[in-house]
Amino acid sequence: MSGVKHFSASADPHEVHQFLKADGVVVIEGAASREDMDAVVEEVGSISGGHTFALAAKSKLFATKLLMNPVYIDLVKRILTDTCIIYYEKERTVSISEPQVSQTSILSAAPGSAPWGLRRQDECHHITHPAKREADFGIAYAATDITKDSGAIRVVVGSNNWTDERDPTEKEETFIELRKGDAILCLGSVFYGQAENTTDKPSVLLNAFSTPGYRRQEENQYLAVPWEVAVQYPSNIQRFLGYYVSRPYGGAVEHMEPLDYLKVKGDWSKYIPVDLI
């Protein structure tokens, strides 16, 4: 069992990144206010045990503030942005694929709930470990105080650097206890799970994972967060949800940026072409 490094909400993302590469997981203390945690839970309404998906559609506060946590977004860009050099008719161009949301959800452990087993979040992206490039990076906010007895997240520190042939053991697990408003940052290649809840109160985590723009989203954001909801959000959040072109060309509509297409309703006479490379 190894300890998990804790940082303040104003931590230097570069330093946080170094620990993430080594350990696969860190804790950001006071990443959000207790009031914001309560407000998100109130927006969502009734929360059942287990997973509740499409959180970015169910809570505008989560989508516009917590999902865009500055430390998380900085690290998302560091870890998941990808570039490539493409050749086209005697010219070479650098194309940049920006990250996108992969899934948002609530993870609740009801009183008496059983634990769920260790897994890697990046399994849906068919990654061979240790990963040459990370495919998933997440943040999980504690919307309640969370202890070892009330459904704490179990992690295997450093397992992001293991091969696929190595299986985790119980003695290698670490339980992450959180105060309301704290957040876990974790790579998709680290083993994690959840402990049982032996208390009489539920525990609640508000989660998001991101993935490179050229990969498939674990949760289809265009259906999970339908346009009539996404249209209410600022354009930077719409882009993060996937309404943009992952260069070169990935995700275009009629060879347009998705937000431009929606703006002109597909009418090329009203569209000012942009380079999608």
Side-chain angles (χ1 to χ4, degrees):
M1 179 185 295
S2 300
V4 174
K5 176 69 175 178
H6 285 231
F7 290 92
S8 71
S10 60
D12 179 356
H14 174 75
E15 184 180 359
V16 177
H17 190 201
Q18 303 315 302
F19 277 88
L20 281 169
K21 288 190 289 187
D23 296 343
V25 60
V26 301
V27 170
I28 304 295
E29 296 179 349
S33 70
R34 299 173 71 88
E35 291 75 17
D36 279 349
M37 296 294 95
D38 291 340
V40 170
V41 171
E42 184 176 349
E43 271 189 296
V44 173
S46 177
I47 297 174
S48 58
H51 255 116
T52 301
F53 292 98
L55 178 56
K58 295 178 170 68
S59 169
K60 186 174 183 178
L61 177 60
F62 182 85
T64 58
K65 186 175 182 180
L66 301 182
L67 180 61
M68 307 305 289
N69 177 285
V71 174
Y72 178 60
I73 293 298
D74 185 297
L75 289 162
V76 163
K77 293 177 179 178
R78 289 173 188 254
I79 295 167
L80 300 177
T81 299
D82 196 32
T83 61
C84 69
I85 298 176
I86 65 168
Y87 175 87
Y88 182 76
E89 194 60 35
K90 299 181 181 180
E91 292 186 1
R92 284 182 168 82
T93 302
V94 176
S95 289
I96 300 175
S97 177
E98 300 175 7
Q100 61 181 333
V101 172
S102 185
Q103 66 104 323
T104 63
S105 64
I106 300 171
L107 181 60
S108 178
S113 63
W116 53 269
L118 296 174
R119 61 181 289 261
R120 282 171 158 143
Q121 185 68 27
D122 64 7
E123 59 191 14
C124 80
H125 289 126
H126 294 233
I127 301 301
T128 298
H129 300 96
K132 292 181 179 179
R133 290 192 61 85
E134 290 294 332
D136 298 85
F137 176 56
I139 186 167
Y141 293 92
T144 59
D145 290 339
I146 300 177
T147 67
K148 183 177 179 179
D149 295 326
S150 66
I153 291 297
R154 306 148 52 207
V155 297
V156 180
V157 175
S159 57
N160 52 303
N161 296 307
W162 293 5
T163 66
D164 289 320
E165 287 69 40
R166 181 174 174 179
D167 295 334
T169 63
E170 186 175 340
K171 67 179 182 180
E172 292 172 308
E173 295 180 20
T174 296
F175 292 83
I176 302 179
E177 296 188 305
L178 301 168
R179 299 182 69 84
K180 189 175 179 177
D182 291 349
I184 297 171
L185 297 178
C186 71
L187 301 178
S189 55
V190 75
F191 280 109
Y192 80 104
Q194 189 175 35
E196 63 182 334
N197 185 351
T198 60
T199 73
D200 60 357
K201 296 181 180 179
S203 65
V204 178
L205 283 163
L206 311 176
N207 309 310
F209 272 90
S210 302
T211 195
Y214 58 85
R215 291 192 179 274
R216 185 109 185 220
Q217 296 166 321
E218 179 179 339
E219 175 185 57
N220 187 313
Q221 296 304 304
Y222 316 107
L223 297 177
V225 188
W227 180 243
E228 56 265 28
V229 174
V231 73
Q232 303 172 44
Y233 297 162
S235 60
N236 65 321
I237 296 168
Q238 294 169 346
R239 287 176 60 87
F240 194 27
L241 289 171
Y243 290 92
Y244 80 102
V245 168
S246 168
R247 278 148 172 80
Y249 313 121
V253 184
E254 296 284 351
H255 207 67
M256 298 182 193
E257 278 277 3
L259 292 180
D260 292 337
Y261 176 87
L262 289 165
K263 184 177 180 179
V264 302
K265 296 181 171 57
D267 186 346
W268 263 90
S269 68
K270 299 177 182 178
Y271 176 63
I272 301 175
V274 295
D275 191 346
L276 301 182
I277 298 176

